Amino acid sequence: MIWHRPTAGPGRPDPRPRVVVTGIGVKSPAGLTLDEVMDTVLAARPTAEVHKDLIETGSPVHIACRVPDFDVDSYLTRRERRQIDRPTELALCAAADAVRQAALPTLTPSRVGVHLGTGIGGLPTMEALVRDNDANPTAMPVHSVPRTMANSAAARVAMHYGFQGSCVTYSTACASGATAIGEATRRIQHGELDVAVAGGFDSAVTAFMLSGFSRMQALSTRNDDPRSASRPFDAARDGFVMGEGAAVLVLELRESALMRGATVLGEIAGYATNADAHHIVAPHTDGAVAAACMAGAVSDAGLLPSDIGQISAHGTSTQANDRAEAAAIHRCFNGQAPPVTAVKGVTGHLIGGSGALEAAIALACAQRRIVPPVANLTTASESDRIDVVAGAPRVVDSAPVLSNSFGFGGQNVCLVLQPAT
């Protein structure tokens, strides 16, 4: 039986407002809509491919998960596209889909905020600018600075729609998108906003970025077999596959959404964040701090660990991360964890976009009462600690889902998402 927060009563304050999702937009390697993404994820169909430009530019890693071509001109004018870079382009298009689905009414501009997360920001664009203009710095394009600003995407979304509420960009490495969703939820619960456009984005598939991660031995080196390269929780994992993409959610008060007849896609029920304070790139091996973050999100949702029906793991496909996360899950759930999935075997690692995309997928899974299998999982090295789903989707009862995002610097963020009720 699921425990919920107490309702208001004599001598007791009103319960915290509930924040729901009314729009979701995605631009990812697994699909350009959430339905497309779910089809790909449930089929456990990897999207990693060899890319010729990575070979030509001398990257030691030739594989990545890129967003398939789509009609960007149907979203943005030619002038707008000249002024922005690839990460911002993906974020704007995902935001447009989310806002369109939410069918927002006329709102007070100061009551609508934009909260986006990015782990890399405009660094890939800086790389291109230096490469193309190093011999003649005075030839830098006029839009060089706006294109490389990490907050460009959030600012552009706010400008496009005239949203004048808090416009914030978060950078908590690979947890950035989840941070943005959690912090935006807080702003709504505290009465600062009525609506928030929240999510994450990144596009770091460049020779410089891949070389840097490769030097850290964080990336898979399976250049000759890209589809099997990303394999979360598998004994033969050798690193993650770089991806790109964006996912954006429209969040609003449940009461307001129901009053205007909006379709409620689910609820952001719990949020917690903390820091390992251990190592700049390696997780704490015992998983204690990450486990505390999971427990905090579950408690924030007014639930018990036994109420969680499935877990969307961060699951990068690196030896250290997957081992530490398995330890954390085992600790948080006292050895009785629900089924675990990890979608990076399909999508690759979207860095700042991962937490937001995985939250959207987790919400869809909760709605459909299904847990996707982990791609490329043949020998689960952590099977003695957690129940990682493999082979085929698993049908489960209707229940909240826990979504984990862990970033470099020991940045831990967990969200609890509820199916629509």
Side-chain angles (χ1 to χ4, degrees), residues 308-329:
I308 300 299
Q310 58 178 291
I311 298 171
S312 175
H314 186 59
T316 59
S317 186
T318 61
Q319 287 289 339
N321 176 88
D322 291 4
R323 188 180 303 116
E325 185 171 13
I329 292 171

Side-chain angles (χ1 to χ4, degrees), residues 135-375:
N136 185 12
T138 60
M140 286 285 184
V142 67
H143 296 296
S144 297
V145 172
R147 283 168 61 91
T148 58
M149 297 189 318
N151 69 317
S152 180
R156 292 281 181 179
V157 171
M159 290 166 57
H160 185 83
Y161 293 103
F163 297 154
Q164 297 176 349
S166 54
C167 183
V168 188
T169 300
Y170 302 88
S171 187
T172 52
C174 308
S176 299
T179 301
I181 292 171
E183 293 297 325
T185 298
R186 286 282 187 267
R187 296 290 179 104
I188 295 173
Q189 290 172 332
H190 291 169
E192 299 173 41
L193 297 173
D194 295 328
V195 175
V197 177
F201 66 95
D202 260 320
S203 179
V205 184
T206 69
F208 175 83
M209 295 305 301
L210 294 183
S211 296
F213 279 104
S214 180
R215 288 281 291 173
M216 296 167 57
Q217 298 183 328
L219 297 181
S220 173
T221 58
R222 288 184 168 90
N223 288 329
D224 58 343
D225 190 11
R227 294 300 173 97
S228 70
S230 184
R231 42 198 320 119
F233 298 107
D234 188 75
R237 63 186 184 270
D238 71 330
F240 72 84
V241 175
M242 184 67 79
E244 65 167 0
V248 176
L249 283 60
V250 173
L251 311 177
E252 58 182 298
L253 288 171
R254 181 175 182 270
E255 292 77 4
S256 300
L258 295 178
M259 189 176 298
R260 71 181 184 85
T263 299
V264 173
L265 306 175
E267 180 177 350
I268 311 297
Y271 164 59
T273 179
N274 64 14
D276 275 3
H278 166 66
H279 191 279
I280 196 61
V281 296
H284 205 298
T285 56
D286 66 7
V289 183
C293 190
M294 295 181 210
V298 172
S299 177
D300 186 57
L303 303 172
L304 300 172
S306 57
D307 294 322
I308 300 299
Q310 58 178 291
I311 298 171
S312 175
H314 186 59
T316 59
S317 186
T318 61
Q319 287 289 339
N321 176 88
D322 291 4
R323 188 180 303 116
E325 185 171 13
I329 292 171
H330 181 81
R331 180 186 292 259
C332 177
F333 289 86
N334 196 29
Q336 302 296 317
V340 176
T341 191
V343 302
K344 288 184 180 70
V346 171
T347 66
H349 196 337
L350 279 55
I351 310 299
S354 285
L357 177 64
E358 288 161 19
I361 294 171
L363 194 55
C365 288
Q367 286 288 95
R368 300 185 185 196
R369 305 180 184 184
I370 198 164
V371 186
V374 176

Side-chain angles (χ1 to χ4, degrees), residues 34-57:
L34 186 56
D35 284 342
E36 290 179 2
V37 171
M38 288 301 294
D39 287 346
T40 307
V41 167
L42 290 173
R45 190 164 59 245
T47 60
E49 295 180 343
V50 172
H51 293 278
K52 185 179 178 181
D53 63 300
L54 297 178
I55 299 174
E56 293 173 343
T57 53

